[in-house]
Amino acid sequence: IVKGNHDAANRITSGLSLPSNTHVFGHDQPESVPVANLPVPVFVHGQSFKPGPVTDNLAAGYPSAIVGALNIGILHTSLAGAPLHDPYAPCRLEDLTTKGYDYWALGHVHKGEVLSDEPWIVYPGNLQGRHARETGPKGCVLATVTDGRVASVETLDLSVVCWQAVGLDLSAAEEEAQLLESLRRGLAEAMTGAEGRPVAVRLRLHGTTKLHDLIEGRPKRLLQTVLELAGEIASGDLWVEKIVNETRPKTGGQELPGDTVTDFFPMVDEVARGPAPLREALRDELASLRAKLPEELKELETFRLAEDSEAMNVALSKVKARLRARLSGEDGI
């Protein structure tokens, strides 16, 4: 075990009673630990984090491979940088490939990814998706060794609950019955591949549609309908985490009355065409708040607006559509 940024400073994990065959690497310097009773010599190299943010390149201090043995490196690192992950123990891919190890098992990034197969450098990801942005299968990677060499790797799905994100394009929907059919199809799609596991789904509705006002104006009714459909499709095993409405109304190209309104929307359009200054302002405004939040809250969609142009454009379009309906009286207010 190498400790990462969470468990290094956690009193609970530090006080756990571990099995006698467990080795926890120290944080002062890298160690090389032999694994006994195997057909070939095997050494595992690793170094834990010390409490507090680790910004040093730990990989640079790892020892060279031991000749005649299978060498495995385990390291908690963001490598050269990973979106939505703090830059802990940063290093370059070349720092790993030049050590001569046969396999690198990496932690910190929650999305599984094979970065190299010569040598193998693998992020297995986390064992269980924690929220709606960690979707799909989650688990571990099983490496098969033949004649002292890593012959193959296989991803094993070990998650208990599967998170899914389903997008539904409602551009062609003109009647409520078509909306219901799209919702039913999307929920059934979320269950595909779950292999009997419970599923938590986030539905994202998008497209320019006549049903926009119905969706936007009656969210409780929409939610109740979706919950009823979920119960029909998979009783008790399908949880609707959120319904995100990104649809846009069909306005027919009509201008809204009033100089204030007609002047306002071109300003919104101008910001949408060049959102960089707004993103920079948001980033500065939200930076201090984000630093104080626990890890799971740092990934709220609000913070994505400062980094993601597409998310910013969607948010601006949604605000514009809602203001247009409200200012023109189309929403009945």
Side-chain angles (χ1 to χ4, degrees):
I1 295 175
V2 292
K3 292 185 177 182
N5 51 295
H6 289 296
D7 46 357
N10 191 301
R11 294 181 180 179
I12 296 177
T13 55
S14 298
L16 290 176
S17 178
L18 299 173
S20 59
N21 64 344
T22 305
H23 179 83
V24 180
F25 287 88
H27 60 72
D28 291 330
Q29 61 185 13
E31 301 175 65
S32 299
V33 177
V35 182
N37 303 319
L38 293 176
V40 296
V42 176
F43 281 83
V44 180
H45 313 276
Q47 181 178 0
S48 286
F49 278 23
K50 60 184 178 182
V54 175
T55 58
D56 298 332
N57 181 353
L58 297 185
Y62 273 45
S64 298
I66 296 174
V67 178
L70 180 79
N71 290 265
I72 301 170
I74 53 177
L75 176 66
H76 198 90
T77 177
S78 60
L79 277 179
L84 305 179
H85 290 80
D86 291 318
Y88 293 142
C91 65
R92 300 171 304 160
L93 199 61
E94 291 80 3
D95 293 329
L96 308 183
T97 58
T98 55
K99 288 293 180 183
Y101 294 3
D102 300 277
Y103 190 96
W104 280 95
L106 306 182
H108 186 55
V109 175
H110 292 186
K111 182 179 180 180
E113 184 178 7
V114 176
L115 302 175
S116 169
D117 59 5
E118 190 58 45
W120 289 98
I121 302 176
V122 179
Y123 275 115
N126 52 349
L127 295 172
Q128 171 63 59
R130 303 170 307 152
H131 48 70
R133 297 187 64 191
E134 296 185 347
T135 58
K138 295 288 183 178
C140 72
V141 171
L142 174 66
T144 299
V145 176
T146 304
D147 298 328
R149 301 288 295 175
V150 179
S152 63
V153 299
E154 176 188 5
T155 300
L156 304 181
D157 187 354
L158 303 178
S159 56
V160 178
V161 175
C162 184
W163 289 86
Q164 296 285 13
V166 176
L168 299 178
D169 186 354
L170 302 178
S171 299
E174 298 190 354
E175 299 178 359
E176 190 171 356
Q178 293 172 298
L179 170 62
L180 293 177
E181 183 55 34
S182 293
L183 293 171
R184 187 187 303 276
R185 185 175 64 253
L187 293 172
E189 177 186 331
M191 293 299 297
T192 303
E195 298 181 347
R197 296 178 178 85
V199 171
V201 61
R202 175 176 291 187
L203 289 175
R204 193 175 297 275
L205 313 180
H206 61 93
T208 302
T209 173
K210 291 181 178 180
L211 301 178
H212 168 82
D213 291 345
L214 174 66
I215 295 169
E216 186 73 12
R218 308 188 69 177
K220 291 183 178 180
R221 178 188 174 193
L222 177 65
L223 175 60
Q224 185 59 38
T225 299
V226 170
L227 293 177
E228 291 173 1
L229 291 172
E232 295 175 8
I233 293 170
S235 178
D237 284 338
L238 180 55
W239 175 54
V240 180
E241 181 263 349
K242 183 184 287 187
I243 304 171
V244 180
N245 179 27
E246 295 175 350
T247 61
R248 303 175 185 178
K250 288 187 175 180
T251 61
Q254 297 177 355
E255 292 293 335
L256 295 178
D259 291 338
T260 302
V261 175
T262 54
D263 288 344
F264 174 74
F265 286 111
M267 293 170 58
V268 177
D269 290 335
E270 184 177 350
V271 173
R273 285 193 297 269
L278 181 56
R279 287 208 314 275
E280 292 174 7
L282 270 176
R283 189 183 296 113
D284 294 341
E285 191 72 24
L286 297 174
S288 59
L289 173 62
R290 187 178 187 275
K292 298 175 183 178
L293 294 175
E295 289 295 322
E296 59 270 18
L297 293 184
K298 289 182 179 180
E299 299 175 11
L300 290 172
E301 291 200 14
T302 302
F303 296 109
R304 289 181 58 215
L305 297 180
E307 306 294 340
D308 188 334
S309 296
E310 181 60 28
M312 175 69 76
N313 288 336
V314 168
L316 288 171
S317 298
K318 187 171 182 179
V319 168
K320 182 179 175 181
R322 295 184 68 175
L323 284 174
R324 183 182 293 276
R326 182 176 291 252
L327 292 171
S328 65
E330 293 174 0
D331 62 355
I333 296 176

